Amino acid sequence: MKKKHLLAAAAALVCLALPATAQTVLKFSHTDQQAGGRHAAAQLFAKKVEELTQGRYKVQVYCCSQLGNDPKNIEQLALGGVDFTVSATGSYAPHVPTLNLSMLPFLVDNYAQGWKLYDESPWMQAQFAKAPAKGFRFLATWEAGFRSMTTKEPLNSPADAKGKKLRTFPNEMMRWTLEAMGFNIQIMPLPEVYLAIQQGAVSGQENPVDTIYSNKFYEVAPHVTLTNHVYSPLPLAISEKTWQKMSPEDQKAVTEAGKIAAKFSRQAISSDDEAALKSMASKGAKINAKPDVAAFRTAVQPVYTKAREKYGADVDALLKDAEAVRKSVK
């Protein structure tokens, strides 16, 4: 009997020594390479979540499409299969269709304008507010940059695009834009793109400079053309199921971690583009920094008409916000 009492007392002491709540591990899935800016921001986010929640939460980052491509990550986010993802705004459009309009061509001219549009546009905030009903919510907007082209042959104007097969991601507005430029479109997951270009299945692809660099697309499609046709930041999202399980204190902490990582992401990507281009050039890439952008702008005008036919007043509401941003930030 005495032995039983001693065992019970020992067990009670062990329980007292344990933390009141065990650490919860959360999954963060994305498609970027380990050398990419998205992954660096995700690692910082994970560190800050653990710090700001005093260790109550630990974020495990899965890069390189280990758990799925962008559409699959967002689908799993809505179902609660993963806890965080970060992807181009247009990738969320299957769940919030109006976010397709964020991919309209040539909305802003520089990073400062893009940041102001995403942080302050009433239209953009209204679209983000629709997300919780779809199973996830946006915490902060990280950076990827302006989308440009990498092709096997030189590309200076829509005349050079005519009939060329170009890979892009599954987004209606991007498809309309690239087809208006003259390309034939091929949709495929990011990890398959390098080999597809190498084998001649497509003649090139379009992505922000950081993604082009980290995936080494310039090795197989050496003509890097800075069209900057779409501003393509990366909203960070959390599963609504995960969010609702958190205390208000931890919700605040996770949001703060997302904003800290967003600031890092914006500074890193906006300042690293030039270095990435120089590095690519030193390895044989041919950088076309001044294509005939006016010709590309003219070619995509029908996209705005098609968008208005499908999305109505939302198009002009966004264009009004974008115009105000362009006037206030040079």
Side-chain angles (χ1 to χ4, degrees):
M1 183 65 69
K2 185 176 180 181
K3 185 177 180 181
K4 286 184 179 179
H5 284 308
L6 287 171
L7 288 172
L13 286 171
V14 169
C15 289
L16 286 171
L18 291 173
T21 55
Q23 186 178 60
T24 300
V25 178
L26 303 176
K27 293 180 181 179
F28 188 146
S29 178
H30 69 80
T31 59
D32 197 15
Q33 298 300 308
Q34 285 185 315
R38 199 178 319 188
H39 188 62
Q43 296 282 52
L44 174 61
F45 173 73
K47 178 183 176 183
K48 289 300 178 182
V49 167
E50 191 161 8
E51 285 179 5
L52 295 172
T53 63
Q54 288 81 50
R56 289 186 292 276
Y57 288 94
K58 178 181 177 63
V59 177
Q60 180 66 50
V61 180
Y62 297 85
C63 71
C64 319
S65 305
Q66 292 178 69
L67 302 185
N69 59 19
D70 286 307
K72 180 61 69 175
N73 284 337
I74 296 168
E75 179 183 319
Q76 287 300 306
L77 191 74
L79 294 172
V82 299
D83 302 289
F84 302 100
T85 197
V86 61
S87 187
T89 317
S91 296
Y92 297 97
H95 304 268
V96 183
T98 46
L99 284 178
N100 269 317
L101 298 178
S102 69
M103 306 301 291
L104 278 167
F106 303 109
L107 279 177
V108 293
D109 302 322
N110 55 51
Y111 283 109
Q113 291 177 4
W115 300 338
K116 189 174 180 66
L117 181 68
Y118 269 73
D119 292 347
E120 299 180 19
S121 158
W123 183 88
M124 196 71 73
Q125 297 308 309
Q127 310 323 303
F128 286 168
K130 298 175 182 178
K134 304 297 182 178
F136 54 90
R137 68 173 58 214
F138 296 112
L139 297 176
T141 302
W142 294 5
E143 190 57 86
F146 287 83
R147 304 182 80 91
S148 288
M149 311 283 187
T150 47
T151 52
K152 287 190 169 185
E153 298 85 20
L155 175 70
N156 192 60
S157 72
D160 298 322
K162 192 170 179 59
K164 298 288 195 309
K165 188 176 286 187
L166 195 84
R167 179 270 173 187
T168 190
F169 72 107
N171 176 263
E172 174 185 64
M173 205 61 56
M174 183 60 72
R175 177 169 57 83
W176 291 354
T177 294
L178 296 175
E179 287 176 347
M181 290 177 177
F183 290 107
N184 293 327
I185 301 307
Q186 179 69 46
I187 305 297
M188 68 177 67
L190 192 68
E192 298 176 15
V193 177
Y194 187 102
L195 189 60
I197 299 173
Q198 190 176 50
Q199 295 181 340
V202 293
S203 61
Q205 63 86 52
E206 59 82 44
N207 254 306
V209 168
D210 180 70
T211 305
I212 292 168
Y213 183 60
S214 63
N215 286 274
K216 301 183 178 180
F217 292 140
Y218 60 90
E219 293 181 347
V220 288
H223 293 275
V224 181
T225 305
L226 305 184
T227 48
N228 292 340
H229 51 282
V230 169
Y231 176 59
S232 187
L234 302 166
L236 166 70
I238 182 174
S239 170
E240 186 66 11
K241 289 184 177 181
T242 305
W243 177 263
Q244 293 300 337
K245 291 175 184 175
M246 291 180 170
S247 67
E249 180 185 5
D250 287 334
Q251 290 174 348
K252 182 179 178 181
V254 168
T255 302
E256 180 63 20
K259 290 179 178 177
I260 291 170
K263 184 177 180 180
F264 164 82
S265 174
R266 285 176 169 181
Q267 290 175 341
I269 297 299
S270 62
S271 61
D272 285 354
D273 277 358
E274 187 176 346
L277 291 168
K278 284 182 179 178
S279 180
M280 286 189 276
S282 73
K283 297 172 183 176
K286 298 168 178 64
I287 311 297
N288 181 0
K290 295 184 178 180
D292 189 353
V293 174
F296 283 110
R297 285 179 181 270
T298 299
V300 301
Q301 288 307 304
V303 175
Y304 300 101
T305 302
K306 290 181 74 171
R308 286 188 180 96
E309 289 172 357
K310 181 166 184 176
Y311 295 97
D314 276 306
V315 176
D316 288 308
L318 173 57
L319 292 179
K320 180 182 177 182
D321 287 357
E323 183 181 7
V325 164
R326 290 196 303 274
K327 285 181 178 179
S328 65
V329 179
K330 299 299 181 184

